[in-house]
Amino acid sequence: MDRKLSKSASADAGDIVTLEIAPAGKDTEPEMPPDLKKALAAAAPKARAVWSDITPNARRDWIHWMTSAKQPETRTRRIKNACSVLATGKRRVCCFDRSGFYSKSLNAPKAAT
């Protein structure tokens, strides 16, 4: 268990604790990069409408797909493609591997030895 969490729960190694799991609450809106904001402003109205209608989680996937490009040219191409694909009504990124998206700290805990 994370040291900060165990300290706040007043729990030591070997203690038995009770956990309560609750929904995280409202999904927060991801921060839109300036280049994407500019591209969407110039995109077809349908692209803007679809962007506004998709969930924050879907917008986060689109943003991560675009910003995960290693080369500036790839990022520019992805933003252009995203605007085109959104204009067709598509709501999700195709063929996007989300496995590298989350923090490595969210891995399953290692077994005690």
Side-chain angles (χ1 to χ4, degrees):
M1 182 186 315
D2 177 82
R3 187 175 302 224
K4 186 177 176 182
L5 180 60
S6 66
K7 185 176 180 179
S8 68
S10 301
D12 292 316
D15 287 354
I16 296 174
V17 297
T18 302
L19 301 175
E20 183 177 324
I21 299 174
K26 186 178 180 194
D27 203 4
T28 58
E29 189 64 37
E31 185 176 334
M32 189 184 301
D35 52 351
L36 174 59
K37 185 181 275 189
K38 183 178 177 183
L40 276 173
K46 172 79 175 180
R48 291 191 303 274
V50 171
W51 181 264
S52 295
D53 191 49
I54 60 177
T55 66
N57 194 41
R59 284 192 286 272
R60 192 171 292 108
D61 283 351
W62 280 106
I63 290 169
H64 183 65
W65 174 68
M66 291 175 234
T67 60
S68 65
K70 292 181 176 50
Q71 300 292 322
E73 298 82 14
T74 305
R75 178 180 174 130
T76 301
R77 187 176 63 246
R78 286 183 182 179
I79 290 173
K80 182 180 176 185
N81 290 344
C83 291
S84 296
V85 171
L86 286 164
T88 68
K90 187 166 181 180
R91 304 170 66 79
R92 287 286 188 171
V93 179
C94 173
C95 311
F96 175 55
D97 179 12
R98 299 178 85 210
S99 64
F101 181 64
Y102 297 102
S103 167
K104 300 296 183 213
S105 67
L106 297 177
N107 292 338
K110 302 215 182 313
T113 55

